[in-house]
Amino acid sequence: MKPDIITTQAILTVSDLSISFNHDGVEIPAVDHISFELLRGSTLGIVGESGSGKSLTALAIMGLIPKPNGRVPNGSIRFHTTGGTDFDLLQFPEKEMRHWRGKKIAMIFQEPMTSLNPAYRCGKQVIENILEHEKVSFSEARTRTLDLFREVMLPDPERTFDAYPHQISGGQKQRVMIAMALACNPDILIADEPTTALDVTVQKTILELLRTLQKKHNISLIFISHNLDVIAEIASNVLVMYKGKIVEKGSIEQIFNHPQHPYTKGLLACRPPLGKRPDRLKVIADFMETTGNESDTFVTQSERNRQHEKLYSERPILRAEGINTVFTLKRNLAGRSLKEYKAVSNVSFEVYPGETLGLVGESGCGKTTLGRTLLRLVEPSSGNTIYKDTQVNTLNVNDLRDIRKKLQIIFQDPYSSLNPRITIGEAIIEPMRVHKLHENDNTRKAKVADLLQKVGLDAAHYGRYPHEFSGGQRQRICIARALAVEPEFIICDESVSALDVSVQAQVLNLLNDLKKEFGLTYLFISHDLSVVRYMSDRLMVMKNGEIQEMGDADEVYSNPKSEYTRKLINAIPGREIA
């Protein structure tokens, strides 16, 4: 249900706004003459890919454009008070803007872990915001903070108040950020990608919370996301931004049912559809460089049945037999375990050559630990991983290194899994040297060039560093590195969870293309059931370290057996557009 628009009166009017950055004496435009209104008491969605200018627009409203290189060469951002007075926020000196920022206009930033100070307890950070803007005692600020923690439905307000950010979950950190933003009762709240990379169930609760608080406090909300399905869950109207411009605007119903701009059509088509299975996902380029052919080809059920009949006629390439992974949380002075956490509990399954087996579940369910345990990146407490006829758990260090040529992993965060001090070419060539593949470095460099081209990059990128690439490009680099040792089985661990939906579609298509070309087998791990269903032949649903159900991916989605699976399905955004 969408929030009601309380009035047609605008609380914020952005007119002809441009933002640019000076780079080595060259002025680079980032936002190009955009105009829009935010109606009092309503929710406005702003959608677009990374680099579209949506977050910069929010920073301009907050008076936080990075200095000294960033500037606003023209435009106005007018705040309309209930008394009829207008203020151009761009004309405020920093001291005056600091008074408004947090009190009249507040912002929930994209990544709560980097937005919260790791050296201070959560409660103190909210108290500081209250004391900065209001003349109240510390005791009163503390009481208000605890009340806010209850209002944003933190499970244990007192404990969270005294906790450091690293001691609470991602969803709880986001609730702390929401409480901080609401601390001084702002008129306008800007939520910049507040649900990116969160589990779909946590995402749903955050969206419901924002809707409730927006209506309760009559807040005017700007909600920024790269995902139109998420926007549809909360916003009444939406702006679509592309390369610094607003290319389309309208109601949610207009945008979803009658999109006009090719870019909007592309954003809508990039997400894996829920009711059918296309042969490959559409990407933005299919619409921006259209030749008039936007038709899809779909895999029929009879085709899938034929594929599966062949697929499951062979022996499994990998078997997990009774895998248990237990972590010791506390030991006594003698080193004996006093407190343990069972992350994976008696998990067994088989993966067949050429199959993509999906693994879905919320954060903390044990899916990443299971993937790492299969490769002995985490040592199992008991059970066996059998690759073909080899028991991986019994291998010594040298034999384990040898078999890892065939068993590879693509990690969730490509930036942290690449060494920032070495070029991407050296990052890809390094595993070839370790495993003594190919005759010499000249041959290896030629192989790297070939791999870069296969994953959609340029051989000339060999000498560049990770920070010189986008998130989607870095993920392609990690895929090339995994392919460098000519594996047969690859674990894709949340490898697209934080990517723009359009970039996500490109990477998913790439993974499917490489699977066909190299005869790969995947274990595809994600918290996004719609993505896992699209990629997978069979699907496992995991909760609290245990497999809840397993079966054909379409069948599990269409006829879930467990209540937990139904919960994951119901949390998928954009399932119904009111």
Side-chain angles (χ1 to χ4, degrees):
M1 182 178 179
K2 308 297 185 304
D4 296 325
I5 296 178
I6 307 303
T7 175
T8 57
Q9 179 188 0
I11 188 172
L12 190 78
T13 303
V14 176
S15 301
D16 203 31
L17 177 69
S18 294
I19 304 169
S20 61
F21 289 87
N22 188 291
H23 183 71
D24 294 333
V26 178
E27 200 77 8
I28 300 173
V31 172
D32 189 9
H33 299 280
I34 67 169
S35 301
F36 64 89
E37 285 186 334
L38 172 65
L39 300 181
R40 193 176 298 276
S42 72
T43 300
L44 174 68
I46 303 180
V47 69
E49 298 172 284
S50 297
S52 65
K54 58 190 189 298
S55 292
L56 277 176
T57 301
L59 292 175
I61 295 171
M62 294 291 293
L64 293 174
I65 293 296
K67 303 293 173 92
N69 294 335
R71 72 187 194 95
V72 181
N74 60 273
S76 66
I77 302 174
R78 306 198 69 84
F79 183 96
H80 310 290
T81 68
T82 52
T85 307
D86 287 0
F87 297 95
D88 186 351
L89 302 181
L90 294 178
Q91 303 304 315
F92 278 171
E94 174 57 25
K95 184 177 180 180
E96 181 71 15
M97 193 63 204
R98 192 180 300 123
H99 171 73
W100 277 58
R101 191 186 302 134
K103 186 172 179 62
K104 292 291 186 181
I105 307 174
M107 187 166 177
I108 305 166
F109 292 94
Q110 180 169 354
E111 177 45 64
M113 191 64 217
T114 57
S115 302
L116 292 170
N117 190 326
Y120 291 92
R121 300 180 192 274
C122 294
K124 184 177 180 182
Q125 297 187 55
V126 179
I127 284 175
E128 281 186 346
N129 192 40
I130 295 173
L131 296 179
E132 172 72 21
H133 294 288
E134 298 187 22
K135 294 180 179 179
V136 298
S137 67
F138 182 90
S139 176
E140 184 178 345
R142 184 182 188 280
T143 300
R144 280 176 53 179
T145 298
L146 288 170
D147 288 343
L148 282 165
F149 281 2
R150 294 185 189 98
E151 189 171 12
V152 299
M153 293 183 288
L154 280 161
D156 189 341
E158 293 280 356
R159 187 189 70 82
T160 306
F161 186 94
D162 292 325
Y164 291 96
H166 72 274
Q167 295 176 311
I168 59 178
S169 71
Q172 289 171 341
K173 281 192 279 282
Q174 198 60 281
R175 289 170 189 267
V176 171
M177 288 294 298
I178 294 171
M180 189 183 301
L182 294 175
C184 297
N185 301 311
D187 296 310
I188 296 174
L189 178 61
I190 302 172
D192 185 12
E193 298 274 13
T195 61
T196 298
L198 293 179
D199 294 338
V200 287
T201 49
V202 178
Q203 173 180 269
K204 184 177 181 179
T205 60
I206 293 295
L207 293 174
E208 289 173 347
L209 173 63
L210 285 172
R211 275 199 298 264
T212 300
L213 295 172
Q214 187 255 355
K215 295 180 78 170
K216 178 180 178 181
H217 298 284
N218 193 27
I219 295 170
S220 304
L221 176 64
I222 297 177
F223 190 96
I224 297 171
S225 178
H226 63 257
N227 191 332
L228 260 171
D229 288 336
V230 173
I231 291 282
E233 293 287 313
I234 193 168
S236 307
N237 294 285
V238 61
L239 310 175
V240 182
M241 291 192 70
Y242 176 65
K243 292 186 176 180
K245 297 178 181 290
I246 294 174
V247 296
E248 189 162 359
K249 63 175 72 173
S251 69
I252 284 294
E253 290 77 12
Q254 290 171 332
I255 294 297
F256 268 82
N257 298 325
H258 306 288
Q260 301 299 309
H261 196 275
Y263 180 70
T264 310
K265 295 177 182 178
L267 284 179
L268 288 167
C270 285
R271 286 283 292 167
L274 297 176
K276 48 193 175 182
R277 186 185 288 264
D279 189 50
R280 64 188 293 109
L281 295 173
K282 292 290 188 181
V283 297
I284 295 295
D286 294 330
F287 294 84
M288 301 302 291
E289 303 166 8
T290 182
T291 58
N293 180 20
E294 298 176 2
S295 60
D296 291 291
T297 58
F298 297 97
V299 180
T300 65
Q301 189 58 50
S302 59
E303 288 175 314
R304 288 197 77 220
N305 291 340
R306 283 195 297 271
Q307 293 168 2
H308 286 182
E309 186 177 345
K310 181 180 177 182
L311 189 67
Y312 300 120
S313 65
E314 302 183 44
R315 292 180 60 200
I317 188 173
L318 183 137
R319 302 199 309 274
E321 297 182 345
I323 298 291
N324 289 280
T325 308
V326 180
F327 295 109
T328 298
L329 302 179
K330 188 177 181 181
R331 298 181 186 272
N332 62 16
L333 293 176
R336 183 175 297 173
S337 176
L338 295 178
K339 186 178 181 181
E340 294 181 335
Y341 171 67
K342 198 167 191 177
V344 178
S345 181
N346 196 32
V347 169
S348 300
F349 61 88
E350 298 173 335
V351 192
Y352 291 82
E355 180 183 26
T356 297
L357 176 62
L359 177 59
V360 68
E362 297 174 283
S363 295
C365 73
K367 57 188 187 297
T368 292
T369 300
L370 174 60
R372 297 187 181 202
T373 302
L374 295 175
L375 304 186
R376 278 184 62 189
L377 296 175
V378 172
E379 289 292 340
S381 304
S382 62
N384 290 305
T385 300
I386 301 171
Y387 169 69
K388 294 186 175 176
D389 293 320
T390 302
Q391 293 198 24
V392 177
N393 296 3
T394 64
L395 297 177
N396 60 35
V397 173
N398 291 330
D399 291 339
L400 182 61
R401 182 186 296 123
D402 288 340
I403 207 168
R404 280 186 178 150
K405 285 186 292 187
K406 299 302 180 184
L407 305 174
Q408 282 289 301
I409 186 168
I410 302 167
F411 294 101
Q412 177 173 356
D413 182 359
Y415 193 70
S416 63
S417 59
L418 291 169
N419 189 331
R421 296 183 178 182
I422 66 173
T423 66
I424 61 113
E426 287 297 303
I428 298 171
I429 209 172
E430 183 180 38
M432 297 184 195
R433 291 183 183 133
V434 169
H435 292 288
K436 297 180 174 58
L437 296 176
H438 311 295
E439 297 175 4
N440 51 48
D441 271 2
N442 287 334
T443 309
R444 292 176 187 126
K445 287 180 179 178
K447 180 67 174 177
V448 172
D450 180 58
L451 286 170
L452 287 172
Q453 290 177 334
K454 284 191 184 300
V455 298
L457 297 173
D458 197 304
H461 292 157
Y462 185 103
R464 296 186 184 179
Y465 290 86
H467 73 270
E468 299 180 77
F469 295 89
S470 69
Q473 289 173 322
R474 283 195 288 267
Q475 197 59 283
R476 290 170 183 267
I477 293 163
C478 290
I479 293 170
R481 184 177 61 181
L483 293 174
V485 292
E486 300 172 1
E488 295 179 343
F489 179 85
I490 298 179
I491 296 174
C492 304
D493 184 15
E494 297 277 15
S495 51
V496 298
S497 63
L499 299 178
D500 289 342
V501 287
S502 55
V503 179
Q504 175 181 277
Q506 295 171 24
V507 174
L508 294 177
N509 286 338
L510 172 64
L511 288 170
N512 278 332
D513 291 342
L514 294 171
K515 176 184 172 182
K516 294 174 184 175
E517 182 175 353
F518 294 102
L520 299 170
T521 302
Y522 293 143
L523 175 64
F524 191 90
I525 300 172
S526 178
H527 62 256
D528 189 331
L529 199 148
S530 61
V531 171
V532 176
R533 173 183 175 261
Y534 171 72
M535 290 294 290
S536 304
D537 297 292
R538 288 183 301 144
L539 177 61
M540 296 189 296
V541 181
M542 196 171 190
K543 179 186 180 185
N544 297 334
E546 299 178 341
I547 301 300
Q548 296 288 297
E549 65 179 294
M550 180 177 181
D552 177 84
D554 289 347
E555 179 65 21
V556 169
Y557 177 81
S558 301
N559 299 292
K561 300 294 188 296
S562 74
E563 183 60 35
Y564 180 68
T565 306
R566 286 190 284 272
K567 175 185 172 185
L568 291 178
I569 293 171
N570 290 334
I572 297 173
R575 296 178 74 243
E576 296 180 6
I577 306 302

